[in-house]
Amino acid sequence: MNSLSLFPPPGPDGNITLFESNNELVCGTSLGSRQKQGWEPPSLLFPRESLKPHSRPESSSKAAFLDHRDTLWMRSARAWRDSGLSGLLDEIANCTEEEVPRWLTVGCSWTLALLRWVSSFHGSLFPHLTLSSEDMVAEFSQVLDWSDCAVRAFAWHPHTDKFAVSLLDDSIRIYNSKSATAPTLKHRLQRNVAALQWKPLCASALAVACHNCLLVWHVDPTSLSTRPSSGCAQVLSHPGHCPVTSIAWSPNGSLLLSASPVDTAMMVWDVAGESCVPLQRVGGGGVTFLSWSPDGSRVLASTPSALFRVWETRTWTCERWPCLKGRCQTGCWSPDGTRLLFSVQGEMVIYALTFTDAPGEPHGWSGSSKAAAIVADLSETSFSTSQGQVRVGGQVQTMAWDPRGERLAVLLKGDPEAPDRPAMIAVFKTRISPIFELLPCGFVKGESGAEPRLLQFHPHFPNGALLTVCWSNGRISHVPFFFVSAGGSVLNPGGSPPWPLPQSRAVENGERLLYTEMSS
Amino acid sequence: MFNSEQNHWFVRKVIFWRAAASVAWSVLLLPVTTALFAFLSRFSLFHPIQWISGGQYSFDFVLVVGVFNLEYYTVVPSVPCTKIALLGKVLHPQQSVHSLVHSMMGIMVTWCAATMIGGRYWILAAPCSEEEGVTGQKMCLNEYYLFFLLAGAFMGYSYSLLGVVRNMNYVSFQTIQQCKYLRFKGMLPQVVRYSAVQSLYSVRNYCLFYFFFGYIPRAWICTTLNVHEDSSLHRLDTVSGLLDFRLLYHLWLSGTFLLLTWHITLLLFRIFITEAYSFPVQSSFSEDVSQCLPKVLSEKQPLILKFLALQDLFLLSQQSLSRRMEVFSLSQPGGHPHNWNAICKECLSLLSDLSQRLVEYQEVVASNGRARPLSSHSDQRSTSSETLVTSGTEEQLQTPQQSIGLKTPSSVFLRSTSLGLHTPMTAPFTPRQESPFSSSSVNRFVGNVDPSSPWYGSVQSPHVMRRGPKLWTASTGSPPGSSLPPSPTTIPSPVPAAQKPGLFSLWLQNRQEQVCSRYSDLCLPEASSQALFADSQAHIWALEGLSNLVAASYKEDRFGVVQTMLPSILSTMLLLQEAVDKHFKLPHASSKPVRSTCCLEDSTFKTLRFALRAALKTAMYRITVTFGEHLHSVQMSAEHRKRLQQFMEYKE
């Protein structure tokens, strides 16, 4: 079952994917052919060159300054503050004879060696702990090639036409359909933004996962200020809980979850009270990615090792799901919260898990499935286009499911070494009820030379689904998928009945069924 | 001992059992901590018999601590508005009993610990060492032993004292529902660390204390028991004597053991008492009707029942479809939505009471801010917000229907403890009463409150106590001297014990405003705002529960019972929103408190106003998101419609 081979080939080079209509993706060079309907989200461009990245991390900047001899106490205190015990030991071990007695230097260097040996042992169990915190964010972020990407995070507001973009220079900009001002948020602690999310059932609160804390901005939507002061941000931090790589608001807006790959505990924040409850489980070595199911009953929490957990949110107990190959890279929930799609690092497939028990009723875990089923195979496939062979396929970087559950966008990692195998977005048509089905839709292409980095669906697009893609050249584009929701029409799940439908195309689509629960 | 509240079915059937279970678990954990202590104190387990016998004694003390937890707990903290009020709280007779008992228990536990460690802590008086005691059988004082026992008393007292200052008796509810074992497991490392650190501080303070005052108890013991001081040994109130690291280690370890057992008892008590309790929504048997959710919600006492009922409402509105259906169902026969009506009415009355309370507070602040000439210009803001509350309360209490009827939820929610915890405390704060101060205060000390007095009932509530200092300062608009109560000589003699702290705190209260205006750092400006929202957890649950039910009714309410209440729900919430918005414009209302570092010093109540504001907005958005354009057809005033429109456009 090589499902990518059933896809229509990607459009010709130079064309970009404009929209989906009548069941097929339309490519072109400009948007002239389509009527504008209501508010069009702006297509933004943030050139990589215009953004000054944050200065290098402190370890490398130390050498740039002139050597200044402080007293030993001063240096020890600073080393302790900067890098803790190991820094202190290192500082003392490198002291000269006249400052420190010989036995202390030797003792410190021995202790340091012992400490390093122990930590290397710990690191061999959990290799990610040896990464620097910036590399760790890049490793576990949902953004492809996070460290070099102009747009580092993106978030649509769940209720209005408003989105927030986090850029390479650690600023966040907010674009609103109803106002011309685009506020820029900057904060001293806002570094290495790994994720953004707006609080549901609230107009103003935006949670930001930063280098060593969580920030919750309260951006007054009626304010005309373009630079809200840092007093508008709440700082939530917990010792040992940094860098924060993933955050998730509960769908009812009351709780905020945060995860860090170095901390085995996942934090449940009461944002107004600025207090947190750690949910600690042994094993895994940290938590990298969180995803709250849209009905609020379950949370996916993946760890840096080959294990992920699914928490239920009534009493906060969890199910352990060991994987065979690698860690769980990404996952997304169906809108009704019964189905979880996820992908595992090192495998080019999408798995599905089904939870059938009604959330909220005390049935326990009897209803959930015992093993994950493979629903799509994304291994490499060649397409011959006018420009020659294009190879598509690979591991999944991130996935997004549209809020109606009819389109699934998958960002496939390419091969950075091979120019003919770029990163690509594959879009599937999906149907959840009465049975789960997956059909091919097409590939989304950007400007030539631009690779997709991040994708997200608009939470309430009226005419179908709207996919927002951030590209490697700093472009943020929006690809609408026009269809009528298949609430009643079972015959044509992903189709669009109001538009005249070419008969042949529909039949072809019918045959191209990728996955259905009946066949498996 | 047991008053009517303690005889309530819920207290008898649930709370006592929960408290008993928590004590039982702490007793079961005692062997573990004792074994650990014995191991750490001697690094060997050569004499297992000794520590088992020692452990049996400390069993009793855990029981006592458990009983104290049950007697003293509260779900609404009392927030002292000034540091002077805090001092009054500490010197309160009830608190003195608490401290005394804890000191005694501290002595007993350290005695057990000393027995377990053995060695030089074995006995109080021993035969003197050789050089001196050649001739006779002179007994000498073992100063280590005395040092140890006094340390126990000191630690017990400081535990009790810190408990008051940090509101350790306040029981807060968790934001998420974890099962008890996991909650305990998650908190245990923090509790151990906290106990160790607290013990370290106690040892430091105790050493200082002993260094300066150690000779007093030593001399006293020597003369009473007719033993001698051993001059060949180091005295412990010298620097060299105190620098005995083995002694300090044992002291710290015993202190950690002591605090750990007590903190574990406290933690288990909190975990058990705040566990969610599922009330039936309706019952087919008439005798069970009083235990159903709609009935329980409307009860005023005990407070813990009210809080648990609201928590259950919140949980059912969010998680349980079948129980929501029961709420929306119609009565058989008759077809009336009694369940929904009762729940909705209770929630709405809670919310409107809060908005009324806020509006009154604001009015007081606004009117007095202009009218009253301030005695000081140093910190006008804090002084005004301080004094103003005061007279607001006073006005409120002077109005008979308000003080007797106790309409404000604050007093409704308060737990009046069986021992009349706050009763004597309130007594000195009633100088404006018509009856002479002396007699009423005495009456309250002996526990018979005159039912005809307007203070009957209200006096027992800590809310009045919380406002107490303000009541008092209210009269200080006139020159300070005139606000003194009638001469203390009128107080009859039978109550000399209670007299002293009462008068002392009275004097303190008298000085309060002057001190407060002169040294503004003595006042806690934020505290009046904290006190206003001290019971807001109940309002948060009411808001969440109500809005979840309304949102669920969009799909689940087959008979349309919710629709009829929708206008009043919306207008109540909008009124509250307005009041809360105004409140946050007052000075000090939006300043954030310092986050407490530890788990056991629960400071949740300090941020409840922010939580309430967030919950209110979320509740409004939940309703507007669910109903959307349909809300246009709901009848409401133009002003409210305008406000609602803001919510529908996501501009709040």
Side-chain angles (χ1 to χ4, degrees):
Chain A
M1 183 179 73
N2 191 345
S3 37
L4 286 184
S5 61
L6 300 176
F7 270 65
D13 221 8
N15 282 6
I16 56 172
T17 307
L18 297 176
F19 55 92
E20 186 212 87
S21 175
N22 292 339
N23 252 341
E24 60 184 319
L25 291 174
V26 177
C27 289
T29 47
S30 71
L31 282 172
S33 56
R34 192 162 55 91
Q35 286 288 315
K36 288 209 167 189
Q37 304 175 347
W39 180 67
E40 280 289 317
S43 174
L44 303 165
L45 181 64
F46 300 102
R48 176 79 174 72
E49 299 74 35
S50 70
L51 301 168
K52 195 162 53 99
H54 199 272
S55 55
R56 292 294 100 207
E58 56 278 5
S59 57
S60 61
S61 65
K62 209 188 233 174
F65 292 93
L66 286 178
D67 191 29
H68 173 66
R69 304 305 293 177
D70 280 328
T71 61
L72 178 68
W73 285 114
M74 295 279 286
R75 277 182 290 146
S76 306
R78 201 181 48 219
W80 170 260
R81 199 189 55 223
D82 287 348
S83 39
L85 182 64
S86 61
L88 180 68
L89 290 174
D90 194 39
E91 186 68 48
I92 295 176
N94 291 330
C95 278
T96 49
E97 288 271 340
E98 43 285 9
E99 281 176 315
V100 183
R102 172 117 183 104
W103 59 269
L104 192 59
T105 344
V106 174
C108 280
S109 46
W110 276 93
T111 322
L112 194 62
L114 188 71
L115 215 66
R116 280 186 183 147
W117 183 75
V118 169
S119 71
S120 73
F121 179 68
H122 192 209
S124 67
L125 277 180
F126 299 111
H128 70 276
L129 293 179
T130 56
L131 296 173
S132 78
S133 67
E134 203 163 329
D135 292 340
M136 209 182 291
V137 177
E139 172 76 20
F140 298 115
S141 165
Q142 293 292 297
V143 184
L144 186 58
D145 196 10
W146 175 87
S147 49
D148 196 43
C149 185
V151 177
R152 291 195 147 170
F154 180 92
W156 275 106
H157 191 275
H159 307 295
T160 52
D161 289 326
K162 176 157 82 170
F163 61 84
V165 185
S166 164
L167 300 173
L168 187 63
D169 60 352
D170 293 331
S171 66
I172 293 175
R173 295 191 198 169
I174 294 172
Y175 295 89
N176 194 343
S177 68
K178 287 174 190 135
S179 78
T181 53
T184 306
L185 311 179
K186 281 188 184 175
H187 195 280
R188 186 172 51 85
L189 295 169
Q190 188 173 291
R191 292 201 289 130
N192 294 344
V193 177
L196 292 175
Q197 200 178 7
W198 291 92
K199 178 180 176 179
L201 299 179
C202 182
S204 57
L206 172 72
V208 183
C210 302
H211 180 69
N212 49 11
C213 66
L214 270 172
L215 289 177
V216 180
W217 284 94
H218 295 272
V219 190
D220 186 4
T222 51
S223 159
L224 294 173
S225 147
T226 52
R227 276 292 300 273
S229 79
S230 53
C232 301
Q234 263 179 296
V235 181
L236 308 175
S237 65
H238 191 267
H241 193 72
C242 68
V244 183
T245 55
S246 186
I247 46 176
W249 283 99
S250 72
N252 59 18
S254 54
L255 300 172
L256 176 66
L257 286 182
S258 73
S260 167
V262 266
D263 193 358
T264 50
M266 166 172 104
M267 297 291 162
V268 184
W269 291 94
D270 167 22
V271 173
E274 299 192 1
S275 62
C276 68
V277 182
L279 290 175
Q280 187 120 29
R281 287 292 183 277
V282 185
V287 184
T288 56
F289 174 71
L290 295 170
S291 173
W292 207 308
S293 74
D295 66 339
S297 61
R298 287 185 186 83
V299 179
L300 164 74
S302 67
T303 68
S305 32
L307 169 76
F308 68 92
R309 298 193 176 88
V310 180
W311 294 80
E312 56 85 31
T313 57
R314 277 168 66 91
T315 56
W316 292 94
T317 51
C318 67
E319 254 185 3
R320 279 165 60 98
W321 284 91
C323 317
L324 288 177
K325 264 287 182 56
R327 64 184 168 88
C328 171
Q329 163 66 28
T330 183
C332 58
W333 292 90
S334 66
D336 57 354
T338 59
R339 203 163 265 106
L340 169 68
L341 299 185
F342 66 94
S343 72
V344 170
Q345 206 183 36
E347 290 190 69
M348 302 185 193
V349 290
I350 300 176
Y351 289 99
L353 272 180
T354 316
F355 301 90
T356 45
D357 59 334
E361 300 304 316
H363 279 299
W365 289 96
S366 54
S368 60
S369 51
K370 295 284 171 276
I374 295 180
V375 294
D377 181 4
L378 306 170
S379 50
E380 198 179 299
T381 310
S382 316
F383 290 96
S384 52
T385 59
S386 52
Q387 275 74 35
Q389 289 281 332
V390 174
R391 291 191 293 151
V392 177
Q395 296 177 29
V396 177
Q397 175 70 26
T398 182
M399 284 193 283
W401 208 335
D402 98 271
R404 299 173 197 228
E406 306 216 6
R407 293 289 182 277
L408 173 74
V410 180
L411 174 53
L412 302 170
K413 271 185 219 173
D415 188 353
E417 271 78 56
D420 63 336
R421 197 180 143 199
M424 195 62 106
I425 296 174
V427 180
F428 295 87
K429 288 173 197 159
T430 55
R431 186 164 66 167
I432 298 168
S433 65
I435 51 168
F436 178 57
E437 282 182 345
L438 210 59
L439 300 110
C441 180
F443 297 108
V444 173
K445 262 181 71 72
E447 294 163 31
S448 61
E451 279 196 340
R453 291 283 185 243
L454 176 61
L455 46 83
Q456 191 170 40
F457 274 105
H458 189 287
H460 51 90
F461 189 63
N463 307 317
L466 180 73
L467 179 69
T468 303
V469 187
C470 306
W471 301 93
S472 58
N473 59 357
R475 165 80 64 193
I476 296 176
S477 69
H478 308 274
V479 184
F481 295 80
F482 295 105
F483 57 86
V484 169
S485 186
S489 67
V490 185
L491 278 175
N492 194 359
S496 45
W499 282 283
L501 201 67
Q503 199 60 38
S504 59
R505 177 67 73 185
V507 172
E508 210 175 338
N509 269 343
E511 287 168 353
R512 277 180 180 179
L513 194 66
L514 280 177
Y515 175 82
T516 158
E517 270 176 353
M518 304 296 269
S519 65
S520 64
Chain B
M1 197 72 180
F2 297 150
N3 62 6
S4 63
E5 185 214 322
Q6 302 260 325
N7 269 326
H8 193 276
W9 68 268
F10 189 72
V11 174
R12 265 187 292 117
K13 282 190 182 166
V14 182
I15 298 295
F16 274 170
W17 285 112
R18 286 182 170 190
S22 75
V23 172
W25 273 109
S26 23
V27 169
L28 284 178
L29 283 171
L30 204 57
V32 181
T33 46
T34 316
L36 204 66
F37 170 72
F39 177 73
L40 286 175
S41 63
R42 294 196 289 181
F43 296 106
S44 69
L45 290 166
F46 293 135
H47 305 285
I49 308 299
Q50 285 173 11
W51 58 261
I52 288 176
S53 62
Q56 278 172 351
Y57 294 119
S58 31
F59 162 80
D60 304 333
F61 311 130
V62 167
L63 282 187
V64 177
V65 173
V67 170
F68 263 80
N69 282 339
L70 180 61
E71 285 302 330
Y72 279 75
Y73 82 97
T74 172
V75 285
V76 179
S78 76
V79 185
C81 289
T82 61
K83 292 190 180 170
I84 310 264
L86 187 62
L87 193 57
K89 209 169 129 189
V90 171
L91 295 173
H92 181 266
Q94 191 72 35
Q95 179 55 35
S96 313
V97 173
H98 189 263
S99 304
L100 194 67
V101 172
H102 275 87
S103 304
M104 296 299 287
M105 286 195 299
I107 292 181
M108 299 311 259
V109 173
T110 39
W111 172 65
C112 294
T115 317
M116 280 187 272
I117 298 170
R120 54 182 176 172
Y121 312 109
W122 185 245
I123 200 151
L124 181 62
C128 293
S129 49
E130 299 308 314
E131 313 93 58
E132 214 173 292
V134 192
T135 50
Q137 288 295 322
K138 277 171 77 182
M139 295 300 274
C140 282
L141 176 73
N142 182 1
E143 201 182 348
Y144 292 110
Y145 191 80
L146 177 68
F147 185 74
F148 234 73
L149 291 194
L150 279 179
F154 185 84
M155 284 176 181
Y157 184 74
S158 57
Y159 170 83
S160 161
L161 195 67
L162 283 178
V164 178
V165 175
R166 295 174 180 168
N167 267 315
M168 293 277 246
N169 65 337
Y170 167 58
V171 175
S172 74
F173 290 81
Q174 284 271 302
T175 42
I176 57 173
Q177 306 295 316
Q178 272 180 288
C179 69
K180 294 193 286 286
Y181 166 67
L182 290 174
R183 234 185 110 183
F184 179 72
K185 202 179 82 176
M187 292 289 273
L188 193 60
Q190 294 181 49
V191 170
V192 171
R193 196 167 53 217
Y194 179 69
S195 306
V197 170
Q198 282 300 313
S199 167
L200 206 61
Y201 283 125
S202 292
V203 167
R204 184 196 66 186
N205 297 343
Y206 175 66
C207 285
L208 282 176
F209 169 79
Y210 197 83
F211 181 74
F212 289 113
F213 303 108
Y215 65 92
I216 301 173
R218 192 176 52 205
W220 183 69
I221 289 281
C222 280
T223 47
T224 340
L225 297 182
N226 196 17
V227 289
H228 302 273
E229 287 183 38
D230 197 340
S231 53
S232 65
L233 295 172
H234 270 303
R235 289 189 168 188
L236 281 179
D237 57 350
T238 55
V239 175
S240 56
L242 281 175
L243 277 179
D244 181 350
F245 283 106
R246 208 167 127 235
L247 176 71
L248 292 183
Y249 171 70
H250 280 146
L251 198 58
W252 171 75
L253 202 64
S254 317
T256 311
F257 172 66
L258 170 79
L259 291 178
L260 186 66
T261 45
W262 289 357
H263 284 157
I264 284 182
T265 314
L266 181 66
L267 174 70
L268 282 169
F269 179 78
R270 284 186 186 171
I271 290 176
F272 271 86
I273 215 87
T274 56
E275 194 195 356
Y277 185 86
S278 179
F279 295 89
V281 176
Q282 57 186 8
S283 168
S284 36
F285 302 104
S286 56
E287 61 263 33
D288 293 342
V289 166
S290 67
Q291 305 184 4
C292 287
L293 189 60
K295 185 80 181 65
V296 161
L297 268 182
S298 56
E299 278 185 48
K300 314 288 182 207
Q301 290 289 348
L303 268 180
I304 182 75
L305 172 63
K306 182 120 186 162
F307 272 63
L308 284 173
L310 281 164
Q311 188 189 29
D312 187 43
L313 173 71
F314 164 65
L315 292 177
L316 91 86
S317 73
Q318 211 170 34
Q319 297 175 344
S320 177
L321 172 67
S322 55
R323 294 177 72 202
R324 278 199 303 266
M325 294 309 286
E326 282 183 58
V327 172
F328 297 140
S329 68
L330 300 181
S331 66
Q332 277 305 334
H336 294 288
H338 289 308
N339 294 336
W340 162 252
N341 282 347
I343 288 174
C344 180
K345 198 173 124 242
E346 186 52 37
C347 290
L348 288 182
S349 79
L350 270 180
L351 298 180
S352 51
D353 280 345
L354 178 65
S355 35
Q356 194 191 347
R357 206 195 313 173
L358 290 177
V359 166
E360 272 164 16
Y361 177 83
Q362 286 150 13
E363 274 171 8
V364 167
V365 170
S367 61
N368 287 29
R370 269 175 278 118
R372 178 179 297 245
L374 291 166
S375 54
S376 108
H377 2 272
S378 60
D379 190 354
Q380 293 217 343
R381 272 167 144 200
S382 74
T383 326
S384 65
S385 68
E386 213 28 71
T387 46
L388 297 183
V389 189
T390 350
S391 31
T393 324
E394 178 201 18
E395 284 162 17
Q396 190 188 359
L397 290 171
Q398 277 172 347
T399 344
Q401 65 268 33
Q402 272 179 334
S403 64
I404 295 171
L406 281 173
K407 294 271 170 56
T408 53
S410 51
S411 32
V412 158
F413 278 135
L414 299 160
R415 172 182 196 263
S416 58
T417 52
S418 57
L419 293 176
L421 169 57
H422 303 289
T423 315
M425 191 59 191
T426 49
F429 304 141
T430 56
R432 303 275 295 195
Q433 216 176 340
E434 285 78 17
S435 59
F437 163 67
S438 53
S439 66
S440 71
S441 99
V442 171
N443 274 344
R444 244 160 258 129
F445 279 130
V446 286
N448 307 320
V449 180
D450 179 14
S452 61
S453 139
W455 290 90
Y456 179 66
S458 67
V459 151
Q460 289 197 336
S461 76
H463 185 68
V464 174
M465 191 211 81
R466 200 192 304 139
R467 292 177 170 191
K470 305 170 219 155
L471 274 175
W472 222 91
T473 53
S475 56
T476 50
S478 47
S482 70
S483 63
L484 278 170
S487 144
T489 51
T490 55
I491 297 180
S493 48
V495 282
Q499 198 173 339
K500 190 191 148 207
L503 282 177
F504 184 59
S505 52
L506 180 67
W507 175 79
L508 284 175
Q509 294 305 321
N510 188 22
R511 303 293 294 171
Q512 175 192 330
E513 175 151 325
Q514 304 159 20
V515 176
C516 201
S517 52
R518 239 166 262 162
Y519 309 101
S520 54
D521 58 323
L522 266 184
C523 300
L524 311 168
E526 206 196 317
S528 60
S529 194
Q530 277 174 20
L532 206 57
F533 286 93
D535 57 347
S536 281
Q537 185 62 60
H539 303 116
I540 293 170
W541 279 328
L543 275 170
E544 295 263 350
L546 203 59
S547 65
N548 273 320
L549 280 177
V550 170
S553 77
Y554 189 70
K555 283 182 180 158
E556 294 166 10
D557 177 16
R558 285 171 300 163
F559 307 109
V561 296
V562 174
Q563 275 185 32
T564 52
M565 299 299 285
L566 203 50
S568 55
I569 291 174
L570 281 173
S571 64
T572 311
M573 285 188 181
L574 286 169
L575 275 178
L576 183 58
Q577 170 83 29
E578 205 174 313
V580 168
D581 276 358
K582 270 189 193 156
H583 180 82
F584 272 91
K585 288 186 180 129
L586 297 178
H588 300 298
S590 51
S591 59
K592 295 258 172 186
V594 185
R595 272 169 74 187
S596 87
T597 45
C598 176
C599 42
L600 283 175
E601 305 162 22
D602 210 322
S603 60
T604 320
F605 65 90
K606 291 183 182 164
T607 51
L608 273 178
R609 58 184 186 280
F610 301 104
L612 181 87
R613 182 171 62 166
L616 183 57
K617 273 193 181 168
T618 307
M620 282 305 300
Y621 274 117
R622 188 171 290 138
I623 294 176
T624 49
V625 165
T626 312
F627 284 87
E629 297 297 310
H630 301 294
L631 285 183
H632 288 307
S633 47
V634 176
Q635 285 183 343
M636 61 174 74
S637 69
E639 196 181 332
H640 282 172
R641 189 171 298 285
K642 205 171 142 194
R643 195 71 200 258
L644 196 64
Q645 191 61 34
Q646 293 275 319
F647 276 100
M648 293 173 78
E649 289 169 2
Y650 299 95
K651 282 186 176 166
E652 275 297 322

